[in-house]
Amino acid sequence: MSNLAALQPILRTAIDPVVVMDPRGVILDWSARAEAAFGWPREEVLGRGLIEVLAPLRHQAAYRQVLARRLASPEPPVERQKSQLMAVRKDGVEVPIEVSLAAFGDPGATVFLGFIRDVADRVEVHDRLTASEARFRAAIGAVDGILWTNDASGRMVGDQPGWSALTGQTSEMYQGFGWAAAVHPDDAEPTLRAWKAAVAQGGPYTFEHRVRRHDGAWRDFAVRAVAVLEPDGSIREWIGVHTDITERKRAEERLREGEARFRAMADSAPAPVWMTSAEGGITFANEAFAEFAGLDAQDLLGDAWIGMIHPEDVATVGARRAAARGAPEGPRPWSFEARFRCGDGTYRWMVANARPQIDARGQFQGYIGMAMDMTETKAAEARQRLLINELNHRVKNTLASIQSIVRQTLRADEATARVRERLIERLLAMSAAHDVLTRESWEGAALDEIVRQGVAPFVDDRDPGRVSIAGPSLRVGASTALSLALAVHELATNAAKYGALSIPAGKVVIAWDQVGGNGAVLTWAERDGPPVAPPDRKGFGTRLLDRGLSADLGGQPKLTFDVEGVRAVLPVRLA
């Protein structure tokens, strides 16, 4: 019987595709399963080389050399030589295959059986496994810590390079539970107890303990381990990570110490102090706040403080708070005055100031604030206002009495009308300045308002542009305001009788500017009036400007009689 005839039962019954070749690799027979697997009918492949039929063009040269070596040195019939290669079907689709070669027949008449298996599924599994291992290696590299594995019973086995590098322990030292020798003595027993409990329950395991580093330094670590399960749900091994949290622990300790110091300082303060969250609720209230409210400090947390505000003040406080928190540039400091209900049920005036807390990343963390009881201050201010109003009333009555006395004393048959008018006008100028100071509680007045009050009787409503007034917003003290009012009155009176305001075309320009930190210079300039000549003698107004007002104004006024018009330069002391 020929070799081919003897091989027919194998070709018909083999599960895998089978090809029969001579020592040159020429196909002598081709099983039905080979036809189905590669799409080549038996008649089309007989007499052709196996490499020519199945190998992709790019691999044919290499595969031909491999096949030639295998066929030139046949192994005993019972042994096979396996190779994993790529094959191409008749339709051009490539598939991975595994080829097992076996010699058959007597020497000199040997043929070769090639058993071909489609290993696409196995290759896919292998590729997935390779990708999974690559991801696992990448994950190990990305882990910010020391990776280790234990067997299903929770014992450390095998090589653990990460643990060894961290602790300096050798493989013999850390095997089993020997790794616990590197854990701080105070933490070792709790660590093992928690670890064995997690292993018994199937995990996961989380813990914190101190580990001695290879250089002898103790470091704080957070530990986490999870079980890797078999398909049946049983534990195959444990994978864990030690993450160094020493710096975090130190930062947390410093933060706790800082908070403790702040709380101690805040509780020693005699006034209410509080902190809020970024959302606005109070997170801390000191002892003074609790004592003022008649509550436990814990009862002040959240938004309880809003209920302490007097109903008439709630809207104002809320608006100021919202404006500060919603500022375009970010939360800004804010303050307010409001009445708060204290522990005995009465309301007290409080002035509060709050500043935003910004962390190192620039993030808003909330507000820290302090309040001061200003009830007594408010009462004192009310008493002061009452006294000032009473004083103002009496002074005005006194000025009115003086005006009446002047009128009665300087009777028409004993004094000229001009003297009577000038004296009364000067008293009225002082009274007008007095009115301005009264509105300001005698704390000073706006320079602009004093000037306008002084020239008001001389300005024609039909032609207000004849007197021009311009200058920055400045304030003067009470004595300066009175002296300035008299000076402006004298200049305006002189302009109305002899100067620019005595004819329709005349104009007066009054302007001032700040000089230095606490002074200003006011200029009075007349133009388009009648020709001006220096007076033969100094009148009351000139003498007043030269000698009477310099102390209160803060300097010596200068009065010049230019042909174009009178010009006065007045130094002004600012408040």
Side-chain angles (χ1 to χ4, degrees):
M1 181 183 295
S2 68
N3 288 337
L4 289 177
L7 292 172
Q8 288 308 308
I10 296 176
L11 269 66
R12 287 195 301 270
T13 60
I15 297 175
D16 295 323
V18 179
V19 59
V20 182
M21 299 172 290
D22 66 11
R24 296 172 301 162
V26 175
I27 298 174
L28 302 177
D29 210 340
W30 184 255
S31 70
R33 289 191 179 274
E35 288 184 336
F38 298 105
W40 289 99
R42 179 173 178 275
E43 309 83 53
E44 294 184 18
V45 300
L46 295 181
R48 296 174 62 185
L50 179 65
I51 300 302
E52 175 190 350
V53 173
L54 292 185
L57 286 174
R58 66 182 183 282
H59 294 312
Q60 284 188 3
Y63 288 1
R64 192 171 284 111
Q65 292 178 6
V66 173
L67 183 62
R69 286 197 302 271
R70 298 287 175 84
L71 297 180
S73 303
E75 300 292 333
V78 294
E79 295 188 15
R80 292 183 180 181
Q81 303 180 65
K82 296 181 179 179
S83 297
Q84 186 168 308
L85 308 168
M86 291 300 295
V88 60
R89 298 193 310 216
K90 186 176 182 180
D91 59 9
V93 176
E94 292 189 8
V95 292
I97 61 171
E98 183 181 79
V99 180
S100 300
L101 294 178
F104 183 82
D106 298 327
T110 303
V111 295
F112 291 88
L113 285 172
F115 296 90
I116 306 172
R117 174 166 294 176
D118 185 339
V119 293
D121 291 341
R122 189 172 72 190
V123 169
E124 182 181 354
V125 171
H126 177 270
D127 290 345
R128 287 203 302 269
L129 179 60
T130 301
S132 176
E133 290 177 347
R135 287 194 298 271
F136 180 69
R137 286 193 296 272
I140 292 174
V143 168
D144 183 19
I146 307 302
L147 193 74
W148 48 265
T149 60
N150 279 11
D151 65 13
S153 67
R155 291 173 171 78
M156 191 172 280
V157 296
D159 291 332
Q160 305 291 336
W163 183 259
S164 181
L166 171 64
T167 64
Q169 286 185 312
T170 63
S171 177
E172 294 75 17
M173 295 169 66
Y174 60 65
Q175 294 294 317
F177 295 108
W179 52 268
V183 177
H184 193 282
D186 293 343
D187 301 339
E189 178 58 30
T191 296
L192 283 170
R193 187 166 57 248
W195 172 237
K196 290 177 180 179
V199 170
Q201 296 170 6
Y205 171 71
T206 56
F207 206 74
E208 290 185 8
H209 60 202
R210 289 161 288 178
V211 174
R212 185 181 59 246
R213 203 167 55 185
H214 59 83
D215 59 1
W218 292 102
R219 305 288 291 180
D220 289 286
F221 282 87
V223 191
R224 178 169 176 79
V226 294
V228 179
L229 304 180
E230 297 285 7
D232 62 1
S234 61
I235 297 176
R236 187 176 73 199
E237 62 179 342
W238 291 83
I239 297 179
V241 176
H242 267 63
T243 303
D244 193 327
I245 59 171
T246 306
E247 301 308 322
R248 191 193 77 190
K249 296 276 281 189
R250 290 175 180 171
E252 290 173 349
E253 182 62 27
R254 288 194 297 269
L255 179 61
R256 283 192 295 270
E257 291 175 355
E259 289 179 346
R261 285 195 297 270
F262 167 78
R263 290 173 184 271
M265 291 173 58
D267 283 335
S268 66
V273 176
W274 69 91
M275 292 175 63
T276 77
S277 65
E279 291 72 30
I282 287 180
T283 57
F284 167 77
N286 72 339
E287 292 179 0
F289 199 165
E291 183 178 344
F292 172 86
L295 299 170
D296 246 0
Q298 291 296 316
D299 295 332
L300 289 169
L301 303 185
D303 293 326
W305 66 280
I306 297 177
M308 298 169 57
I309 302 174
H310 193 285
E312 295 177 1
D313 300 336
V314 170
T316 301
V317 174
R320 294 181 67 85
R321 179 193 189 201
R325 290 175 59 86
E329 68 277 12
R332 64 170 185 247
W334 68 295
S335 61
F336 65 91
E337 291 182 9
R339 289 162 289 180
F340 278 76
R341 187 181 63 252
C342 54
D344 61 5
T346 61
Y347 282 93
R348 308 278 298 177
W349 275 102
M350 306 294 287
V351 56
N353 293 278
R355 298 189 66 84
Q357 298 182 80
I358 308 298
D359 65 15
R361 299 171 299 168
Q363 299 296 312
F364 172 62
Q365 298 298 308
Y367 278 95
I368 179 169
M370 174 180 282
M372 296 294 292
D373 189 333
M374 58 180 300
T375 306
E376 300 306 325
T377 302
K378 286 280 190 180
E381 289 175 352
R383 289 193 298 271
Q384 183 185 48
R385 282 194 300 272
L386 179 63
L387 290 173
I388 288 176
N389 289 337
E390 178 63 21
L391 177 62
N392 289 336
H393 177 68
R394 294 191 180 191
V395 170
K396 287 181 73 67
N397 286 344
T398 301
L399 286 172
S401 298
I402 291 173
Q403 291 176 23
S404 177
I405 291 171
V406 168
R407 286 191 176 94
Q408 295 297 322
T409 303
L410 299 180
R411 293 180 300 183
D413 58 342
E414 296 179 358
T416 65
R418 180 172 177 274
V419 172
R420 288 165 53 87
E421 291 174 4
R422 294 295 297 276
L423 184 56
I424 292 173
E425 286 172 357
R426 286 164 183 157
L427 289 173
L428 289 174
M430 288 188 66
S431 180
H434 183 277
D435 288 341
V436 174
L437 290 169
T438 299
R439 289 197 298 271
E440 299 284 349
S441 300
W442 283 83
E443 294 180 355
L447 192 155
D448 175 86
E449 190 171 6
I450 292 295
V451 172
R452 292 185 185 277
Q453 284 276 10
V455 299
F458 305 94
V459 176
D460 189 345
D461 292 341
R462 294 170 297 180
D463 190 12
R466 293 184 66 192
V467 178
S468 171
I469 301 175
S473 177
L474 301 174
R475 291 184 65 80
V476 296
S479 60
T480 302
L482 289 172
S483 295
L484 183 61
L486 285 174
V488 171
H489 173 77
E490 292 301 325
L491 289 168
T493 300
N494 185 73
K497 290 188 173 183
Y498 313 111
L501 298 181
S502 65
I503 63 174
K507 292 180 173 56
V508 176
V509 176
I510 308 172
W512 62 87
D513 207 350
Q514 188 166 355
V515 177
N518 60 350
V521 173
L522 182 146
T523 302
W524 173 289
E526 300 179 22
R527 59 186 175 86
D528 300 334
V532 175
D536 295 332
R537 65 181 181 84
K538 292 185 177 180
F540 174 80
T542 303
R543 293 196 304 273
L544 183 68
L545 288 173
D546 281 346
R547 296 190 296 272
L549 303 179
S550 59
D552 288 333
L553 286 177
Q556 181 66 45
K558 293 181 181 180
L559 184 64
T560 57
F561 296 91
D562 296 335
V563 176
E564 294 81 7
V566 173
R567 179 179 175 85
V569 178
L570 309 179
V572 179
R573 182 188 296 116
L574 299 179

